[in-house]
């Protein structure tokens, strides 16, 4: 049976959700982050040299990187095209774009924001005000204006397509993009006025039975707001 190496509160939630949407049987091997460092346990390095999640094993195959996993699952278990627009269509091209964009463009910025947010923790008391100031400046000058630009881009895209990232129906692009949207919601202040379509998207995906089943399987997901 297909195995998902799943880290709590992580990107691998998307893989569980996709498997639930497709109705593919799977089992989960759970790993817990270190509460102080938020790093994955060293045990995950026995699964993959980078020790990151998600990784899946399907028979003799072992696949890492969410985008690569999602492409493999679509090719192998979605011959009916339930979660991918037809090959050659403009919507399919859009799906490919968002599958790459999520980890290539959105997540590096969101990770930098997280680094700034946590920069002062663990720093000696005497240095803390200075480090806090540096972190606040980094957010004000670097991450926050760019993240707002990305948020506006997502909002406009979702408004234009009627609520989904690639074409007029839900696709794997929405599953891939769910994590940057969750992370942005957790790390930025979103408003109905400026980010209404993004917030509606999150409400809509959270209400899906397959999303809820994936939460039951994956355990507590603290990025949810
Ligand atoms: N681009 C990779 C990123 C993988 C990644 O950074 N995973 C995080 C979970 S959100 C992780 O395992 N972090 C634990 C650690 O770095 O120790 C993917 O999408 O699969």
């Amino acid at each position: 049976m297909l195995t998902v190496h799943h880290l709590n509160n992580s990107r691998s939630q998307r893989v569980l959700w996709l498997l639930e949407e497709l109705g593919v049987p799977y089992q989960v091997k759970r790993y817990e982050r270190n509460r102080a460092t938020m790093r994955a346990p060293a045990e995950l390095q026995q699964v993959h040299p980078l020790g990151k999640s998600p990784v899946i094993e399907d028979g003799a195959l072992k696949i890492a990187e969410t985008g690569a996993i999602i492409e493999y699952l679509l090719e192998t278990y979605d011959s009916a095209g339930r979660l991918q627009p037809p090959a050659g269509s403009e919507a399919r091209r859009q799906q490919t774009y968002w599958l790459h964009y999520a980890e290539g463009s959105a997540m590096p910025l969101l990770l930098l924001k997280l680094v700034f947010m946590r920069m002062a923790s663990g720093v000696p008391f005497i240095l803390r005000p200075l480090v806090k100031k540096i972190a606040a400046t980094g957010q004000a000058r670097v991450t926050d204006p760019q993240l707002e630009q990305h948020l506006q881009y997502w909002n406009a895209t979702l408004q234009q397509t009627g609520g989904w990232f690639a074409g007029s129906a839900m696709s794997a692009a929405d599953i891939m993009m769910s994590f940057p949207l969750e992370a942005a919601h957790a790390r930025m202040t979103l408003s109905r006025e400026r980010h209404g379509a993004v917030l509606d998207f999150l409400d809509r995906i959270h209400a899906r039975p397959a999303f809820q089943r994936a939460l039951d399987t994956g355990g507590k997901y603290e990025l949810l707001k």
Side-chain angles (χ1 to χ4, degrees):
M1 186 187 284
L2 191 150
T3 302
V4 181
H5 294 274
H6 172 70
L7 183 67
N8 65 315
N9 286 329
S10 84
R11 288 158 163 90
S12 56
Q13 196 62 42
R14 293 180 291 199
V15 174
L16 305 183
W17 179 23
L18 175 59
L19 287 164
E20 290 291 346
E21 290 284 354
L22 292 175
V24 178
Y26 64 98
Q27 62 187 4
V28 175
K29 174 126 177 46
R30 286 199 200 196
Y31 302 82
E32 292 290 319
R33 290 181 189 270
N34 177 303
R35 285 190 174 272
T37 63
M38 297 306 285
R39 299 299 312 274
E43 199 191 343
L44 247 182
Q45 287 174 31
Q46 286 157 22
V47 179
H48 186 275
L50 298 182
K52 306 258 182 204
S53 171
V55 177
I56 64 162
E57 290 186 75
D58 197 11
L61 286 178
K62 187 182 280 185
I63 307 173
E65 274 296 329
T66 317
I69 293 170
I70 287 184
E71 276 190 24
Y72 168 78
L73 293 176
L74 292 174
E75 273 165 30
T76 313
Y77 296 106
D78 189 26
S79 52
R82 283 170 48 207
L83 281 173
Q84 46 185 336
S89 65
E90 171 57 18
R92 179 66 160 261
R93 205 180 57 73
Q94 286 300 318
Q95 172 174 275
T96 304
Y97 169 78
W98 292 111
L99 285 179
H100 288 267
Y101 163 94
E103 290 295 323
S105 293
M107 285 315 298
L109 206 47
L110 284 156
L111 181 63
L112 185 57
K113 168 85 177 164
L114 188 63
V115 169
F116 282 136
M117 286 167 75
R118 297 206 175 134
M119 212 166 160
S121 71
V123 166
F125 182 71
I126 185 110
L127 292 175
R128 214 168 289 163
L130 177 65
V131 174
K132 276 190 177 164
K133 178 111 180 92
I134 293 169
T137 306
Q139 289 175 78
R141 292 205 186 147
V142 182
T143 53
D144 292 12
Q146 288 191 60
L147 280 171
E148 182 56 30
Q149 198 179 3
H150 285 251
L151 276 160
Q152 289 305 318
Y153 175 41
W154 306 339
N155 208 63
T157 302
L158 293 169
Q159 279 171 340
Q160 277 158 22
T161 58
W164 303 111
F165 276 96
S168 56
M170 185 184 147
S171 74
D174 301 296
I175 295 179
M176 191 69 185
M177 283 300 292
S178 64
F179 192 74
L181 268 65
E182 305 267 20
H185 192 207
R187 293 168 204 170
M188 300 281 287
T189 305
L190 305 197
S191 72
R192 282 271 154 211
E193 297 69 41
R194 293 181 60 75
H195 314 106
V198 166
L199 292 170
D200 287 347
F201 174 88
L202 289 172
D203 288 345
R204 198 166 340 108
I205 64 170
H206 294 164
R208 290 183 76 83
F211 189 96
Q212 290 298 324
R213 286 196 301 276
L215 284 185
D216 291 343
T217 318
K220 203 167 160 208
Y221 183 47
E222 282 168 354
L223 289 185
L224 276 178
K225 243 189 172 179

